[in-house]
Amino acid sequence: MSSSADSELRTSAGVVSLTTDYGLADGFVAACHGVIARVAPALRVIDVTHLVPPGDIRRGSAVLAQTVPHLPDGVHVAVVDPGVGTTRRGVALGTPGGFLVGPDNGLLVDAADALGGVTGAVELTNPRWLAPRISATFHGRDVFAPVAARLALGAPLAEAGPAVDPATLVRLPEPLVERRPDGFVAEVLTVDHFGNVQLAAPADLLAPLPDRLRVHPVTDRPEPPAAGGGDQGLAAVHGRTFGDAPLGALVAHVDSAGRVALSVNGGHAANLLAVIPGTLLRVRVPASAEAHPRHTDEMSIVESCQGG
């Protein structure tokens, strides 16, 4: 990297965020806080979450990417690292909105894109930036936390280790999204604490669909006819928020991250739909609703769902 690039790839925001799958029952999170405090006692540390399901890189990536645009510019550490201690690289990425530090396993790249794209990347090999002794199973404490603290104090990215070609960074496979004539098929991206099911589908796939929808998992078998000759799957309201559906009913809406989500008013959509991340769901127009235009009146929406 040139000296001019070095000067750009610095931050003195004094903020470090932590996103991990460490849980809250052990001392792992506190150890990371402690290492950061030893290097830079005045830094502010923001805990995004430590309850990413163990080893769920896709969930960690989604949480990180959807959160970092709303955090102060700083250094964002993410550790969901089933390959810790193997040949996978530890990396730090520079972006216009701050730094990302963690394993090179696909966890960081979507967040880097959300912050404006990767402007520089290094492999974390400088022993002066790391713990004197590095555990094979706790790089969050011994590698990522001390690197993050130094970057947050304004140290240049290039000093952390040799440059990495951003094109070689590991990316997760793109989730499946497919437009259909009567709706779309999309992969379940995440399930949150409330049971809301976030799909990989962008908002524009839901926008043209009518008030009454059907939702069901996609299988490799032909869809069986529904009992009584009706539509297969669960009825859903196309609404703006949870309360646009009757209590206990399913609503398809655009969530705070701008993706299509399925929720139950007062309930748990993932349980109702029996889905997990990676499940394919089909959202479509039922035959009985083809002639129904979108309602703008909330009462009409509710009545439409109750009639489905």
Side-chain angles (χ1 to χ4, degrees):
M1 293 183 186
S2 68
S3 58
S4 60
D6 287 352
S7 65
E8 292 175 2
L9 295 177
R10 296 172 182 260
T11 181
S12 56
V15 173
V16 172
S17 78
L18 295 174
T19 303
T20 78
D21 61 354
Y22 288 160
L24 300 175
D26 303 293
F28 304 135
V29 175
C32 293
H33 274 263
V35 168
I36 292 168
R38 280 174 174 262
V39 176
L43 289 181
R44 180 184 177 195
V45 179
I46 298 174
D47 292 290
V48 175
T49 182
H50 300 293
L51 299 177
V52 174
D56 190 342
I57 298 170
R58 173 78 76 184
R59 171 68 175 161
S61 172
V63 169
L64 187 68
Q66 293 170 22
T67 304
V68 291
H70 307 285
L71 300 180
D73 287 357
V75 184
H76 308 294
V77 178
V79 191
V80 181
D81 194 14
V84 62
T86 67
T87 57
R88 72 97 185 94
R89 298 179 293 194
V91 294
L93 313 181
T95 79
F99 293 107
L100 293 150
V101 178
D104 180 23
N105 61 5
L107 181 64
L108 306 179
V109 179
D110 285 348
D113 291 343
L115 291 175
V118 178
T119 54
V122 300
E123 185 174 3
L124 305 178
T125 60
N126 183 348
R128 296 189 302 276
W129 281 46
L130 312 178
R133 283 184 280 185
I134 299 174
S135 165
T137 59
F138 199 178
H139 286 189
R141 178 194 66 193
D142 298 339
V143 177
F144 305 135
V147 166
R150 285 167 173 78
L151 288 173
L153 288 175
L157 180 66
E159 290 185 6
V164 167
D165 181 353
T168 68
L169 295 169
V170 174
R171 283 186 174 269
L172 297 174
E174 287 295 321
L176 188 145
V177 180
E178 181 182 302
R179 190 186 297 271
R180 297 283 182 87
D182 60 350
F184 59 89
V185 171
E187 186 175 331
V188 174
L189 192 60
T190 70
V191 175
D192 70 15
H193 171 72
F194 299 99
N196 300 314
V197 175
Q198 183 187 65
L199 302 180
D204 66 302
L205 289 185
L206 182 64
L209 301 185
D211 292 341
R212 296 172 62 192
L213 301 171
R214 307 295 293 195
V215 179
H216 58 87
V218 173
T219 70
D220 57 2
R221 299 186 300 275
E223 297 173 10
D231 279 304
Q232 181 194 8
L234 294 174
V237 165
H238 175 185
R240 183 181 60 86
T241 188
F242 316 121
D244 287 342
L247 192 65
L250 191 64
V251 57
H253 62 100
V254 177
D255 70 7
S256 61
R259 294 185 184 271
V260 178
L262 300 165
S263 304
V264 170
N265 183 10
H268 196 286
N271 287 348
L272 179 66
L273 292 163
V275 298
I276 59 173
T279 301
L280 292 180
L281 283 177
R282 185 173 179 187
V283 178
R284 63 183 178 83
V285 179
S288 58
E290 288 177 350
H292 288 241
R294 283 221 67 211
H295 296 294
T296 57
D297 181 270
E298 181 177 339
M299 183 59 68
S300 297
I301 293 175
V302 173
E303 291 172 350
S304 196
C305 178
Q306 290 172 331

